[in-house]
Amino acid sequence: MKKILIVEDDIDIHNLIKSLLDSTYTTLDAYSGTEAMLVLEKYKVDLILLDLMLPGINGEELIKKYPAIPIIVISAKSGVEDKVQALQIGARDFITKPFHTKELLARIEVQLREHPQAKTYLEYKALRLDTEHFIFSVAGEPISLTKTEFFIMKQFLLNPTQILSKSRLLDLLYLETLDGDEGSLKVHISNIRRKLKTVTNEDYIEAVWGIGYKLI
C-alpha cells in the first residue's frame, strides 16, 4: 500500500484528509515542518501532502529539502506568484484551500501513477549526488563527504544556477546540523573544493564576494 505523509497543522483539515485516504493508502502524520523531517528520517514515503504555512520549518524549505519525493501543496495561499514559486522549487502540484475532496483524490492518483519511482539523484555537469544512498561522485568517481559537506553540496545542486548567500546557507546549515558558524561554513566549503580537486581540475564552487557562493 502506498505511503502518504500529511503535513498540515490545522487539525480539522488534517483529519479530513486522513479520513479520505485511510481506506486506500497508509498515512503518516506531521503537524509542523520539524516533525515532518523526523518522520521522513524514519520512513520512506511515496507522496507528501504539504501545507506551506507551518510552525518551525516552512513548507518551501521542505520542498527544497526533499526533491526526490512527489509533493502536492495544499495551501490557503492563492496568489499566482505563490503557486509559481512552489512549482519552480520542486512541488509537483498545487491545490488551493478550500478544496474539493474528489479533486484531491484525483490529483493524488495522478502523481502516484506518473511517479512510481521518484528520482533520487541531483546532477550538474559531471557532479552527481544520490540523495537516497548518500553517494556523491564526479565524472563517475565517488568522493567521500561528511554529512555536513553532503548537505552543502545538496543545496548547491538544488540551486545550480543561483548564488546562495552566506546567510541562507548558514540558516539551512543550522536547521540541519545546529552549526550556523560562518567560519565552519568556510572550512566545509574549502574541504569540498579540496576533495573535488583530487579527481577534477575544475573549480565547481565560486565565491561571490560579499554575497556567498555558486556553482560554475
Side-chain angles (χ1 to χ4, degrees):
M1 189 176 286
K2 296 289 187 180
K3 195 178 272 108
I4 297 177
L5 172 61
I6 305 168
V7 190
E8 169 62 68
D9 64 326
D10 185 304
I11 295 176
D12 291 335
I13 296 176
H14 193 119
N15 289 341
L16 169 63
I17 296 172
K18 188 174 179 67
S19 67
L20 287 172
L21 303 182
D22 270 347
S23 62
T24 309
Y25 306 102
T26 299
T27 59
L28 299 172
D29 307 293
Y31 298 88
S32 70
T34 304
E35 190 176 359
M37 289 177 59
L38 293 174
V39 172
L40 291 167
E41 287 178 3
K42 188 174 181 181
Y43 299 99
K44 184 176 181 179
V45 305
D46 299 289
L47 180 72
I48 300 173
L49 301 179
L50 178 67
D51 187 18
L52 293 179
M53 295 180 286
L54 296 166
I57 300 170
N58 63 38
E60 287 88 346
E61 293 301 330
L62 288 176
I63 294 171
K64 294 176 183 178
K65 189 172 178 63
Y66 299 100
I69 306 174
I71 295 175
I72 299 177
V73 171
I74 305 176
S75 177
K77 292 184 175 182
S78 58
V80 173
E81 290 302 320
D82 296 313
K83 296 178 181 179
V84 169
Q85 180 186 15
L87 295 170
Q88 285 180 335
I89 62 177
R92 303 288 176 84
D93 202 349
F94 194 112
I95 299 177
T96 302
K97 298 176 183 175
F99 55 86
H100 294 285
T101 56
K102 288 184 178 180
E103 180 184 4
L104 175 60
L105 291 172
R107 288 175 183 258
I108 290 171
E109 184 181 344
V110 167
Q111 288 302 319
L112 292 176
R113 183 172 69 240
E114 290 185 350
H115 306 282
Q117 291 184 328
K119 183 178 178 181
T120 60
Y121 58 87
L122 302 169
E123 291 182 302
Y124 175 75
K125 294 184 177 179
L127 306 179
R128 181 183 173 106
L129 187 143
D130 186 326
T131 59
E132 182 176 6
H133 301 99
F134 299 97
I135 298 172
F136 176 65
S137 62
V138 181
E141 183 73 23
I143 294 179
S144 178
L145 298 180
T146 67
K147 179 181 178 180
T148 302
E149 291 165 359
F150 189 91
F151 177 78
I152 291 171
M153 281 308 304
K154 182 177 178 180
Q155 301 313 309
F156 282 128
L157 289 167
L158 283 171
N159 305 277
T161 62
Q162 299 178 27
I163 299 173
L164 294 180
S165 68
K166 290 180 183 178
S167 61
R168 176 168 173 73
L169 279 171
L170 289 171
D171 287 345
L172 292 171
L173 196 59
Y174 182 78
L175 289 173
E176 179 72 13
T177 68
L178 299 182
D179 181 3
D181 180 71
E182 185 173 342
S184 296
L185 175 63
K186 290 180 180 178
V187 170
H188 291 311
I189 289 180
S190 177
N191 288 339
I192 295 170
R193 282 172 160 166
R194 175 176 51 79
K195 291 177 180 181
L196 288 170
K197 285 290 187 182
T198 62
V199 296
T200 179
N201 290 323
E202 290 193 53
D203 191 359
Y204 278 97
I205 302 175
E206 177 182 65
V208 181
W209 190 84
I211 302 177
Y213 302 90
K214 66 174 293 187
L215 287 181
I216 56 173

